Amino acid sequence: MAITTRAVGYDHEGAKFEGMLAYDDSRKGARPAVIVSHAWAGRSDIEIGYAKKLAALGYAGFALDLYGGAKVAADREECQKLMMPLATNRPKLQARLLRIVDVVKGLPEVDAAKVAVIGFCFGGLCALDAARAGADIKGAASFHGILTPPGNTAGKTIKGKIAVYHGWDDPMVKPETVLALAKELTEAKADWTITAFGGAMHAFMTPGANDPDFGTVYNEKIARRAWASLEDFLKECFG
């Protein structure tokens, strides 16, 4: 096995972006792709690491860039500054996500008929918004994602399967928001699963997160369980 990475440039609304593709160079031909949407800090080594992990499973992993120039924030203030223009303009965010899905489908390593999107924190919102916006994808998975509905997709049918992995003690996403998402996904005729982990806070999949006062704590046990479930989910999506 030889995991290879290469930068993939693309544009949207006049701005330049740089995603990172990871794939097993020893495998020939096109393969299913999993787009990895980053947390609020930007496309970091964490997302690239997950893309490589997906590549080791036989997929093409694509760590997207939503901010342009592969920017990564240095602190919370910069995270907020980078995220908010998209978090508060969901149609713009959705258009960017749909553009990225098209870019990934056009890569020679990718089977365009088999693409899924996953994401973490803000990226979890992005994975769900790609599906909400009508992306032609096989599935979307959110890990400790922000679940607030976008407000512009009522009445739309979600095409792909949905998996949501949620920490029940996440102070940023209350139980009533999870229940509202279940209602939303049902109305969108989605094939959905929501898994809630007791004792898990926000960022339970983010190595190094350890700020209980802010509500972000990595949980190795829960991360392992959630990833194992994702592997089964992707097999079902692409089967």
Side-chain angles (χ1 to χ4, degrees):
M1 181 181 295
I3 303 302
T4 298
T5 61
R6 67 178 176 88
V8 176
Y10 51 96
D11 58 74
H12 183 245
E13 296 181 340
K16 302 292 185 182
F17 301 84
E18 185 181 286
M20 186 65 70
L21 178 70
Y23 59 99
D24 180 356
D25 198 27
S26 68
R27 295 170 62 97
K28 302 303 179 185
R31 67 216 73 191
V34 184
I35 299 170
V36 182
S37 192
H38 56 70
W40 68 339
R43 195 212 71 197
S44 72
D45 289 342
I46 292 174
E47 287 80 22
I48 294 173
Y50 279 123
K52 290 178 178 178
K53 195 170 181 178
L54 289 160
L57 294 174
Y59 306 120
F62 185 83
L64 60 71
D65 169 23
L66 285 170
Y67 297 153
K71 293 187 187 76
V72 178
D75 52 35
R76 287 182 192 166
E77 183 179 357
E78 190 177 2
C79 286
Q80 193 81 353
K81 183 178 178 181
L82 289 171
M83 179 185 71
M84 289 310 292
L86 294 173
T88 57
N89 188 343
R90 303 286 278 276
K92 179 175 182 176
L93 172 62
Q94 291 158 7
R96 188 159 297 172
L97 291 165
L98 293 175
R99 167 68 177 143
I100 292 167
V101 170
D102 285 344
V103 168
V104 171
K105 286 187 173 188
L107 298 176
E109 297 87 354
V110 171
D111 179 346
K114 294 183 177 181
V115 175
V117 184
I118 71 171
F120 307 85
C121 306
F122 172 57
L125 178 149
C126 294
L128 291 175
D129 261 24
R132 287 162 163 153
D136 188 11
I137 54 177
K138 294 299 184 182
S142 165
F143 294 88
H144 44 82
I146 304 302
L147 306 181
T148 311
N152 69 331
T153 56
K156 288 191 175 183
T157 297
I158 290 176
K159 299 174 184 177
K161 301 178 189 298
I162 301 293
V164 174
Y165 302 101
H166 171 66
W168 198 246
D169 295 341
D170 186 337
M172 302 177 197
V173 182
K174 299 299 185 181
E176 55 267 27
T177 304
V178 180
L179 293 175
L181 176 68
K183 182 175 184 292
E184 177 197 347
L185 295 176
T186 298
E187 290 174 350
K189 298 179 174 59
D191 177 350
W192 63 267
T193 302
I194 297 175
T195 304
F197 298 104
M201 301 181 79
H202 197 73
F204 62 78
M205 294 286 290
T206 306
N210 187 25
D211 189 344
D213 292 335
F214 189 55
T216 53
V217 178
Y218 173 62
N219 188 313
E220 183 180 4
K221 176 182 69 177
I222 301 302
R224 185 174 63 252
R225 289 180 185 172
W227 188 264
S229 180
L230 175 73
E231 291 188 18
D232 287 340
F233 174 72
L234 292 175
K235 288 176 184 177
E236 186 174 326
C237 287
F238 298 139

